[in-house]
Amino acid sequence: MNTYKFPVHHVKMADDTYRVYDHKTDNSLMVAPSLGTTMAIGAAQGATLGLADAMTPEKRLEAAAQQHLVNTRRGECKITKGYLLQKPLFKFWFECAVEPQV
């Protein structure tokens, strides 16, 4: 977590407002749903002893990451891969034809 830039960037999408953090040295982003959604996911899993998977779909998080790139003048950059860090937090890598000026 210490390798990501703060403050958090809020990316408003149709379904939620996502929290996006830029990595300080590599081309990666950490993305999570809003705090309210995160709490709801935790509550749903706790109430069902982990049987309910209220996980925000990865594609929604990836779309928020791509929108963040557009919002920060890196729209030519593309998400290349991602993985679950810890529910509901994902990490996505991106590549740019030209190094971004952040």
Side-chain angles (χ1 to χ4, degrees):
M1 191 72 181
N2 291 334
T3 59
Y4 286 87
K5 293 180 184 177
F6 289 90
V8 62
H9 299 273
H10 293 94
V11 178
K12 186 160 180 56
M13 302 293 283
D15 62 320
D16 198 1
T17 299
Y18 293 86
R19 297 173 289 147
V20 180
Y21 303 87
D22 275 294
H23 193 276
K24 291 178 183 177
T25 59
D26 69 12
N27 287 351
S28 70
L29 303 169
M30 191 169 56
V31 184
S34 66
L35 288 174
T37 299
T38 299
M39 290 174 26
I41 289 169
Q45 288 184 328
T48 62
L49 303 175
L51 297 175
D53 190 2
M55 183 65 193
T56 300
E58 181 178 357
K59 289 297 179 187
R60 291 182 186 171
L61 291 153
E62 183 177 337
Q66 187 65 52
Q67 184 61 49
H68 172 69
L69 293 173
V70 170
N71 293 351
T72 56
R73 298 187 311 259
R74 296 177 282 179
E76 76 286 350
C77 302
K78 299 296 176 209
I79 303 296
T80 57
K81 62 183 175 177
Y83 73 93
L84 178 66
L85 287 171
Q86 179 180 352
K87 284 188 178 184
L89 193 62
F90 271 80
K91 180 174 183 172
F92 294 100
W93 280 270
F94 61 92
E95 291 181 359
C96 305
V98 177
E99 276 302 308
Q101 302 290 321
V102 180

